[in-house]
Structures are given as C-alpha cells and as structure tokens.
C-alpha cells in the first residue's frame, strides 16, 4: 500500500509490492503500554489542544486518545473511549474534557497517573479488575478534586462554575475541596456547591440517568466476551464477535473477518501522527485491536487471518520511505506467525509470533 505524506496524516491505499527494501516494522512498546482509543462516537465531537490557534479535528472511532488533547462533545453527541489503562470513559452531550495525564500511555512516564479535567458536562468512568494500574484516577472540576478507586463505576457532572455532582455505583471515591476530604461509597452521591470553600452534601444515589443507561447498553453488547484475546483487551475487542469467526491453524486460534473480496489489513483507514510513531486509524469498527495488537497473516484456504497478541504498536507494518511515496505492508505477510514448534525446525516467539521462514516463499 502506498500514500503521500502530509504534516498530519498519510492517506491513499493503492497496492505496492515491497521487497527487500522494506523497512523494519514500527517498534512495539512494553506489553502494558499503548494508547487508548475512541470506541464509540455518536454525532460530531471535536478535538483540539489548549493552544488558542489549534485546528479542531472531528474525531472518529479508533482515533487514539493522547495526553494533552481537549475534547468537546456538543449537544446531540456522545463519546465512549477506552483509556490506555483499559478503563472506560463515557461522555455525555455538552461536555468538555482535558486529558492532562494518562496511566499506561505509550508517551507517559512509568509512574504517570490518569488526570482528567472535567471542564463542564458529565462523564462516566468504569474500571474493572483488569485495569493496569492500582493508582486512583483523578478528576478535577471547577471546585473539587475527585479520586476514583477501581474496580468501580462513577458518574461526575459539573457546570464549570462552582457546582459538581459525584455518583458512586461501585467502588469508592475521595472528594477533596478547600474544606477537606470526604469519602463517598457505593450507592452514594455527593453535591459540591460553591467556588470558595464549597459545601459537600451526601445522599443516596438516585436512579440511572441517560448517560448511565447508554453505558449499560454498550456494556451489555459486550457481555458475551471475546475468546482467545487477553482479558484486558476483551471490551475493546468485543466487535470481533459480530464481524467474523475463529479458526484453528497449526495449533493456534486465529480470527477471520467477514469482509469483501480483495480486502486487506491497513487499507481502509488513515494515518495520524503520534509521539510513538504513525498510528493507524481503521474504518472497520473492530479495527483498533487488530491494527495495534497481534499480527495478520495471509494463508491459503483462509485468506487474511488475525492472530491475537498483547504487545501494542502504532501499527504492525513494514515501512518503505521513497523520494516521492511512502509504502507499508502488514508484517505477517513477510514474517509468518506460528506457535511453538519442536524438532529440526524449532520455533518459539513472544505472544506466539517471531521471525519467519521461507518454505515455498511462506505463501
């Protein structure tokens, strides 16, 4: 595949043949580190930075969540994101959030914690037992600093002018204001009123609101779980179960997508610049996990198969950079996926992938 280079993205998807001139694949980071992504986008949501002259970008599903981004969700829109630590963030309409720091981000320090600024609007934060960090998530509003402990489910609402509400549906939260600290437990809600020395009132949590009901719908769609993938990727990989099926190949389980004739990986989508390298934004609703984890391979009788993995990369591709064009090809095409083998032809690889061999040109 080839494309022309611009300051922000790479686009264009005509087929290219990459021979020995292909560059090495984009390097993967530590298995626990990567980027979060926008899993569900309903309506138009705009992404900017804190810079006044920053150009707004309308986000799409599978776009990476990056430190320093500022997201505006206007009326009539809703957004769901899976953060790098595998917690889930859902944003209602007329909500603005700034991502100051993200645990587990490929660009973050090892000791970075998740810090979000709820500038206005409402958010739901959900963290299950597989969240990658034991550190609480910090949410800053106009009059409070709230620490959320996982596992747990939380909803926060703020008008941005001295009023905040925190609802705990599971786990517990610590609310810090100029008056001190208050612990909020499962089934409780708190109202924080006032800019200067705000008062905190605790009551029983009310019924679910619209954002929480939407979150429940999204979670219920993924309840069946996804076999053969790492538990921490289960929610992100949920669309796989509706878009293909699993097969067994040489003792390994692989996923075969239900796609049009002639489809190939890393062809329907676009490239975006990130600090960790060019990251692929797939158009397929299931494209985040298959583009950034595991490896694709083309096998006779099957076509393109995806073999699960747990190491993150902006894209598992080989690159070619020429004087006028850029080209890429999935690593699996030239570096075959296989499971552990013994005998004269011994192979073994991290997450089931390594090296490659040239038997009959490896298909």
């Amino acid at each position: 595949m080839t494309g022309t280079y611009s300051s922000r993205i790479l686009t264009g998807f005509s087929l290219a043949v990459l021979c020995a001139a292909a560059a090495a694949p984009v390097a993967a980071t530590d298995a626990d580190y990567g980027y979060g992504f926008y899993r569900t986008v309903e309506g138009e949501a705009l992404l900017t930075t804190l810079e006044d002259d920053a150009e707004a970008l309308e986000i799409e599903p599978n776009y990476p969540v990056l430190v320093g981004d500022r997201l505006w969700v206007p009326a009539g829109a809703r957004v769901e994101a899976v953060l790098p630590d595998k917690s889930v963030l859902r944003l209602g309409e007329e909500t603005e959030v700034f991502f100051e720091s993200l645990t587990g981000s490929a660009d973050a320090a090892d000791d970075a914690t998740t810090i979000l600024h709820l500038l206005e609007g409402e958010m739901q934060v959900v963290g299950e037992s597989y969240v990658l960090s034991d550190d609480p998530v910090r949410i800053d509003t106009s009059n409070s600093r709230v620490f959320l402990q996982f596992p747990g489910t939380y909803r926060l609402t703020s008008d941005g002018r001295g009023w905040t509400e925190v609802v705990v549906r599971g786990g517990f939260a610590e609310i810090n204001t100029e008056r001190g600290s208050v612990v909020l437990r499962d089934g409780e809600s708190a109202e924080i009123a006032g800019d200067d020395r705000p008062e905190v009132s605790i009551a029983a949590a009310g019924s679910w609101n619209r954002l929480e009901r939407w979150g429940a719908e999204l979670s219920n769609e993924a309840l069946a779980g996804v076999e053969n993938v790492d538990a921490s990727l289960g929610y992100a990989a949920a669309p796989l179960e509706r878009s293909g099926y699993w097969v067994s190949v040489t003792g390994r389980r692989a996923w075969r997508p239900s796609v049009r004739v002639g489809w190939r990986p890393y062809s329907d989508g676009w490239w975006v610049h990130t600090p960790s390298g060019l990251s692929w934004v797939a158009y397929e609703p299931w494209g985040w996990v298959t583009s950034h984890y595991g490896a694709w391979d083309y096998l006779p009788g099957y076509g393109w198969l995806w073999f699960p993995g747990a190491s993150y990369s902006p894209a598992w591709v080989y690159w070619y950079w020429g004087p006028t064009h850029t080209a890429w090809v999935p690593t699996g095409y030239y570096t075959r996926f296989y499971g552990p083998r013994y005998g004269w032809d011994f192979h073994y690889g991290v997450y089931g992938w390594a090296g490659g061999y040239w038997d009959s040109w490896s298909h």
Side-chain angles (χ1 to χ4, degrees):
M1 297 137 197
T2 63
T4 54
Y5 180 83
S6 73
S7 62
R8 184 168 182 83
I9 61 174
L10 286 169
T11 58
F13 310 108
S14 58
L15 183 64
V17 178
L18 304 186
C19 298
V26 175
T29 60
D30 185 273
D32 288 343
Y33 283 75
Y35 285 134
F37 73 104
Y38 295 98
R39 183 178 183 270
T40 308
V41 180
E42 296 182 0
E44 179 183 284
L46 299 177
L47 192 66
T48 64
T49 67
L50 288 180
E51 300 174 4
D52 293 335
D53 59 347
E55 179 184 355
L57 172 71
E58 183 178 347
I59 63 166
E60 300 175 5
N62 298 322
Y63 193 89
V65 176
L66 303 178
V67 173
D69 282 346
R70 183 171 181 168
L71 181 68
W72 167 244
V73 184
R78 295 183 295 195
V79 170
E80 178 192 46
V82 178
L83 300 184
D85 66 357
K86 306 305 186 279
S87 61
V88 177
L89 174 69
R90 297 178 178 123
L91 305 174
E93 56 185 324
E94 297 186 276
T95 296
E96 189 170 18
V97 174
F98 172 62
F99 299 91
E100 178 181 332
S101 178
L102 293 168
T103 299
S105 175
D107 308 326
D110 291 343
D111 58 352
T113 59
T114 295
I115 303 174
L116 308 179
H117 294 255
L118 178 58
L119 303 176
E120 64 176 301
E122 63 174 347
M123 64 165 56
Q124 184 190 51
V125 184
V126 181
E128 303 292 349
S129 57
Y130 51 71
V131 170
L132 299 180
S133 174
D134 295 329
D135 295 326
V137 168
R138 191 182 106 191
I139 310 293
D140 290 351
T141 71
S142 60
N143 64 349
S144 64
R145 178 167 290 176
V146 185
F147 294 89
L148 312 178
Q149 187 66 52
F150 293 143
T153 300
Y154 309 89
R155 176 170 59 83
L156 293 89
T157 308
S158 176
D159 67 357
R161 299 183 300 276
W163 180 87
T164 300
E165 182 186 42
V166 181
V167 178
V168 178
R169 303 292 188 188
F172 67 92
E174 180 184 348
I175 302 172
N176 288 346
T177 69
E178 292 180 0
R179 287 181 179 267
S181 176
V182 175
V183 173
L184 202 63
R185 304 194 180 278
D186 185 9
E188 295 181 332
S189 67
E191 182 176 317
I192 305 112
D195 277 322
D196 185 24
R197 296 181 59 79
E199 295 185 358
V200 180
S201 303
I202 298 178
S207 57
W208 288 2
N209 73 349
R210 184 182 178 188
L211 178 64
E212 291 171 308
R213 290 193 296 271
W214 180 61
E217 292 174 4
L218 295 174
S219 295
N220 288 337
E221 291 175 359
L223 275 181
V226 180
E227 57 180 327
N228 307 307
V229 302
D230 189 83
S232 66
L233 297 174
Y235 189 72
L240 295 178
E241 299 303 289
R242 302 187 297 271
S243 307
Y245 56 93
W246 294 91
V247 297
S248 294
V249 181
T250 60
R252 300 288 298 182
R253 295 288 284 172
W255 182 74
R256 186 181 187 189
S258 299
V259 290
R260 70 180 186 278
V261 174
W263 178 91
R264 55 196 184 276
Y266 302 104
S267 59
D268 293 343
W270 54 295
W271 294 101
V272 60
H273 287 278
T274 73
S276 291
L278 288 168
S279 182
W280 182 249
V281 180
Y283 290 146
E284 300 94 354
W286 40 264
W288 176 264
V289 171
T290 59
S291 299
H292 302 286
Y293 298 88
W296 286 96
D297 197 8
Y298 188 86
L299 298 179
Y302 293 98
W304 285 105
L305 297 178
W306 177 71
F307 292 84
S311 287
Y312 172 86
S313 177
W316 289 101
V317 299
Y318 286 108
W319 284 99
Y320 166 77
W321 302 92
T324 58
H325 288 80
T326 297
W328 62 90
V329 69
T331 57
Y333 191 80
Y334 287 105
T335 356
R336 190 164 184 254
F337 184 101
Y338 47 77
R341 295 175 58 182
Y342 300 91
W344 292 105
D345 191 14
F346 174 84
H347 292 119
Y348 195 89
V350 177
Y351 302 111
W353 178 92
Y357 50 85
W358 294 92
D359 298 349
S360 301
W361 300 100
S362 192
H363 315 307

